[in-house]
Amino acid sequence: MPVSNCPDPPSRRKPGEAVFGTGQSLPAAQARSPLAVSAAGDRAAPSPKMMENAVFMSFTFYSTILILKMYVIAIITGQVRLRKKAFANPEDALRNGGLQYYREDPDVERCRRAHRNDMENIFPFLFLGAIYSLLDPSPAVARIHFFIFCVGRIVHTIAYLLRLKAPTRSVAYSVAQLPCFSMALQILLATTPYW
């Protein structure tokens, strides 16, 4: 006895027949999105709606740059540790010359502070930017928000690691916060009716 909710296998389905109870025909589903029906024609794939959102794609680009920057900072920190022979764990110190290298170093700590500062600022940006992308903002305005934040964070990191003259780091930090506050305000304004 066939189950009424199960679609007919592709061999039994007539051209134009509904797929998975969506009420759409196979050609209509394919026209809607090339990824909506698998190559075999028997399974519906998730709709790539987020990938059609220009703002979300811009957000994804800048977010990926920032995440890669954080990876680079982690690698730099490790390299400075090795060069300065300043290890955070005794087993690492033993492997690299002895327990006398189980110590802190100001250059390593500077790298760690730069990395920690990235985590304190980039993670909130990832949340705010993702939600902001769903509000259907102007793609040009959104791109400006993402670009300013990304450049601000890159300049901040360079100023931190290269010990650039003050107030370079503070200015970069402050400039990068402006788009975050703007996005947060727009999110609050859009969601206030639902509180």
Side-chain angles (χ1 to χ4, degrees), residues 1-108:
M1 180 176 212
V3 179
S4 61
N5 289 341
C6 294
D8 288 333
S11 60
R12 288 186 174 166
R13 201 178 308 127
K14 295 179 183 123
E17 218 172 24
V19 179
F20 281 114
T22 61
Q24 288 188 331
S25 67
L26 182 60
Q30 287 174 331
R32 188 180 82 249
S33 170
L35 299 177
V37 177
S38 72
D42 60 347
R43 301 193 116 186
S47 176
K49 290 291 182 195
M50 291 307 288
M51 302 315 267
E52 295 170 7
N53 182 338
V55 174
F56 186 76
M57 292 304 292
S58 179
F59 165 71
T60 302
F61 173 79
Y62 286 106
S63 296
T64 303
I65 288 174
L66 292 167
I67 296 295
L68 289 173
K69 182 183 82 68
M70 291 176 69
Y71 280 126
V72 168
I73 298 299
I75 292 167
I76 290 171
T77 304
Q79 293 303 309
V80 172
R81 272 192 192 287
L82 289 170
R83 186 170 46 85
K84 300 296 275 233
K85 287 192 166 265
F87 299 100
N89 301 304
E91 63 272 17
D92 296 330
L94 284 171
R95 182 175 177 219
N96 290 283
L99 282 177
Q100 69 271 24
Y101 299 117
Y102 174 49
R103 60 190 175 90
E104 290 186 359
D105 178 84
D107 293 331
V108 173

Side-chain angles (χ1 to χ4, degrees), residues 121-137:
N121 290 277
I122 292 174
F123 293 161
F125 167 79
L126 295 176
F127 171 77
L128 292 172
I131 301 300
Y132 176 70
S133 297
L134 300 175
L135 299 180
D136 198 29

